[in-house]
Amino acid sequence: MATRIPMRAHPRLHPSTFALAALIGGLGVLALHTTLGFDGPGGEWLFQDWIYNVLMIGASCVVLARGVLVREDRAAWLTMGTGLLFWGLGELYYSLFIEGTSREAGGSVSFADVLLLAMYPCFYVSLGLLAKRHLRNLRLGMWLDGLIAGLAAASIASALILPPVLATAPSEHSSIVVSLAYPIGDVLLMMFAVGALSITGWRAGNLWLPIAVGMLVNGIGDSIYVYLTATDSYHAGTWLECLSPLAAILLALAAWMPTRRVQQREMTSWQIMSVPALALACALGVLTYGNLGPRLATPALVLAGATVLAVGLHLILTLRENLRLLAHSRNLSLTDPLTGIGNRRLLMADLRLACRSARPHEPWVLVLYDLDGFKLYNDSFGHPAGDTLLVRLSERLKRTVEPRGGVYRMGGDEFCVLFEHSGSDDCQLVSLSVAALCEHGLGFSITASHGSVMIPAEVADPASILHLADQRLYRSKEEAAARRANQLNVDPTLKLTVSAVSGAAERIHDLPASAGLHASGDGDDGEQALSLGEHDGGPLAGATPEQRARNRRVRRQPPL
């Protein structure tokens, strides 16, 4: 018995695919007719009237179907489809009731003009809706690039198209308005098309590329038609007849393409300046053309001037952004990332300035500090609590010393102060700064040793100043350690108390979670518990939310 091999399932094509394929095929037939000229009896009527109008109205139906069937961007595509429908109906009305009649030769305003002009506001609204959704979170410079590119394109189009239109405009006021409305509307569409491509970094993707190309094709085709009509050089049945259906079909393709939101792009220096430079060259070219050749129309002059102003604004914003980034980078390189005060690099720069400006009668003072007891604190309560303590102490030191001097963190638990000597107040300032770096609480005691140097009386170069301050600092630490040892030998009760505190801190650090450390502090056994971050002066007081998330509860130790 023969084994039946199952047929592979083929993906089902969406009906929009067949509709778009039919539109593209019809456009190909129309292009063959206009370029190769094959037709039979009545061919002009069939190709230039019916196939042309079917393609225009068919493209509008495809776009309207996208708005009806798909919820995403529904308002934008319904508005776009309505504009295409106005366009197709205007072309159909012109073919049925105006083409070949005396009204066509007279150039008077007709209902076809009303329909054709109605498509422009629909296009503008739909493009605005699409831009609002798909071009969000883009920096201001990208939008400004689009505006500059659009203004430059519009100024060139206005300089070339408007003069013959104005020269051959009918005498009737309404006819003049209509004659100018088409090129102005086309210039605005081309302005948006070039601007959209520039905003997306000339990598527009499935959505914006067909839209921009479609608007550009329609604007170019319509502008050429207006120019040829104004100069009495237009001939029906040429390749120009294919541009309007091509633009409509490109919009239909964009409606059914899968899309993704345009993201901010990284640009090199030449890419940042290419659009403003080219736009400025175009604007200057238009202004030069107006001075050497025929007089520029007012819209072309205004658009060229607006292009120059936009380029100037772009340069100002670029310079401002670069200065902001430079200031931010400098701040990061000269400040300590944890405490926000100056770092060692800033200290060395300020110290070099102090050495150059210090005089025997106007000396400077450098004080170097080191925290005593910080390592035990860090080991007992954890690094987040230690970081919080460093931030708290640095803020107190900054409030104490400023504005008389600068405060710096050398790294770890070492701080430094540099200030100008002012007599007897210096001793008080040093004492207050040492007190600012001291903190005491349950199970811990943080003090500070220091060493100071007078500039330039003692040393006059930065390296020697730091070396001497470091020697005096550690001599001070040794003297403080010796004093504590003498106190312990003299007072046995104090020795017992200090040993108990140190031992309790070590046992707190080594206790298992079930015995002494609780993440949530439930306290089910009824023993009294104390949160490290909930008492005044506790190790997590003032901690950030991330540090509080690791808050531990340590049970009180029984008195020893």
Side-chain angles (χ1 to χ4, degrees):
M1 182 177 180
T3 303
R4 184 176 181 180
I5 301 177
M7 298 289 291
R8 177 177 295 179
H10 294 282
R12 296 182 59 184
L13 296 178
H14 195 273
S16 62
T17 305
F18 295 104
L20 292 172
L23 291 175
I24 295 174
L27 178 63
V29 172
L30 180 62
L32 290 175
H33 165 71
T34 56
T35 54
L36 301 180
F38 71 94
D39 53 31
E44 293 292 332
W45 172 82
L46 174 64
F47 286 98
Q48 297 183 23
D49 290 339
W50 288 108
I51 291 182
Y52 178 92
N53 291 320
V54 166
L55 291 177
M56 297 298 298
I57 296 178
S60 67
C61 292
V62 171
V63 176
L64 287 172
R66 164 64 171 80
V68 171
L69 299 177
V70 181
R71 184 176 181 179
E72 184 181 7
D73 296 328
R74 173 169 293 169
W77 290 115
L78 286 177
T79 309
M80 179 79 75
T82 303
L84 283 173
L85 185 60
F86 284 145
W87 189 3
L89 293 176
E91 297 284 2
L92 180 62
Y93 186 91
Y94 186 86
S95 300
L96 293 176
F97 302 105
I98 298 177
E99 188 175 15
T101 64
S102 59
R103 298 176 63 186
E104 180 182 19
S108 59
V109 179
S110 65
F111 183 66
D113 293 313
V114 176
L115 292 173
L116 291 172
L117 291 176
M119 74 174 179
Y120 290 109
C122 293
F123 284 170
Y124 301 146
V125 172
S126 63
L127 293 174
L129 293 174
L130 289 174
K132 181 179 178 181
R133 175 174 173 81
H134 293 275
L135 296 180
R136 292 185 297 178
N137 301 324
L138 301 183
R139 62 181 180 85
L140 180 61
M142 297 177 69
W143 288 102
L144 198 56
D145 284 346
L147 177 63
I148 291 172
L151 287 173
S155 64
I156 295 175
S158 300
L160 298 177
I161 297 171
L162 289 182
V165 173
L166 292 174
T168 60
S171 58
E172 297 181 9
H173 180 72
S174 59
S175 299
I176 295 176
V177 173
V178 171
S179 299
L180 294 176
Y182 285 110
I184 291 175
D186 294 332
V187 164
L188 292 176
L189 286 179
M190 287 189 292
M191 174 179 169
F192 178 86
V194 177
L197 289 176
S198 176
I199 287 175
T200 58
W202 310 100
R203 299 187 296 271
N206 295 339
L207 175 65
W208 290 105
L209 181 60
I211 288 178
V213 174
M215 295 297 177
L216 198 59
V217 167
N218 175 57
I220 293 174
D222 212 0
S223 299
I224 295 174
Y225 172 79
V226 170
Y227 179 83
L228 294 177
T229 302
T231 56
D232 293 328
S233 55
Y234 173 72
H235 299 285
T238 62
W239 60 271
L240 195 61
E241 306 290 341
C242 299
L243 295 184
S244 294
L246 174 60
I249 293 173
L250 285 173
L251 296 178
L253 285 171
W256 287 97
M257 283 288 186
T259 62
R260 60 182 178 87
R261 182 170 297 170
V262 178
Q263 302 294 331
Q264 295 193 24
R265 66 188 191 276
E266 296 293 333
M267 297 188 299
T268 59
S269 57
W270 71 267
Q271 289 177 319
I272 294 175
M273 299 306 300
S274 60
V275 172
L278 292 175
L280 182 60
C282 292
L284 294 178
V286 168
L287 295 175
T288 304
Y289 171 77
N291 288 328
L292 300 180
R295 182 179 179 182
L296 283 179
T298 302
L301 183 62
V302 171
L303 289 170
T307 303
V308 175
L309 291 177
V311 171
L313 179 61
H314 184 280
L315 294 177
I316 292 174
L317 291 178
T318 302
L319 178 61
R320 180 182 176 185
E321 183 177 358
N322 289 339
L323 291 177
R324 182 182 60 81
L325 292 176
L326 180 61
H328 181 66
S329 300
R330 185 178 184 276
N331 182 64
L332 290 178
S333 65
L334 297 178
T335 56
D336 178 62
L338 176 63
T339 61
I341 61 176
N343 59 9
R344 188 184 187 91
R345 184 181 290 108
L346 180 60
L347 170 65
M348 296 305 296
D350 291 348
L351 192 55
R352 284 190 289 268
L353 290 176
C355 291
R356 287 196 294 266
S357 62
R359 299 291 183 269
H361 60 282
E362 294 179 353
W364 286 72
V365 179
L366 181 137
V367 185
L368 191 62
Y369 308 87
D370 186 85
L371 300 183
D372 300 324
F374 181 75
K375 184 179 184 304
L376 178 60
Y377 182 96
N378 230 10
D379 294 340
S380 301
F381 304 115
H383 291 285
D387 291 344
T388 303
L389 176 66
L390 291 176
V391 172
R392 194 161 59 243
L393 295 180
S394 65
E395 290 175 351
R396 290 211 296 259
L397 181 62
K398 185 177 180 181
R399 289 194 300 267
T400 302
V401 175
E402 291 184 346
R404 280 198 54 189
V407 180
Y408 314 88
R409 183 185 176 211
M410 306 293 289
D413 57 353
E414 290 188 354
F415 294 87
C416 186
V417 166
L418 179 65
F419 59 92
E420 191 172 3
H421 177 69
S422 62
S424 59
D425 292 340
D426 291 352
C427 294
Q428 182 181 4
L429 180 61
V430 173
S431 299
L432 292 175
S433 63
V434 171
L437 292 175
C438 296
E439 185 168 312
H440 307 278
L442 181 64
F444 72 93
S445 177
I446 303 296
T447 58
S449 300
H450 71 284
S452 61
V453 177
M454 188 75 70
I455 308 169
E458 296 180 309
V459 197
D461 66 282
S464 300
I465 292 171
L466 290 177
H467 181 69
L468 180 57
D470 191 66
Q471 287 181 337
R472 292 178 175 176
L473 165 66
Y474 281 97
R475 187 182 307 126
S476 173
K477 290 179 70 72
E478 292 172 357
E479 293 174 355
R483 286 194 300 270
R484 287 195 298 269
N486 291 333
Q487 290 176 355
L488 293 178
N489 291 330
V490 170
D491 190 348
T493 304
L494 180 61
K495 180 177 180 180
L496 178 62
T497 303
V498 173
S499 301
V501 171
S502 301
E506 293 177 358
R507 287 194 297 275
I508 288 171
H509 180 65
D510 297 333
L511 280 176
S514 60
L517 299 180
H518 295 265
S520 60
D522 51 5
D524 292 338
D525 54 1
E527 295 182 16
Q528 187 178 8
L530 176 65
S531 171
L532 291 178
E534 295 177 358
H535 63 74
D536 294 336
L540 288 181
T544 61
E546 291 79 10
Q547 293 168 337
R548 293 194 189 99
R550 300 178 57 187
N551 186 8
R552 300 169 295 170
R553 300 184 71 87
V554 181
R555 301 189 182 280
R556 292 185 186 273
Q557 300 298 316
L560 298 178

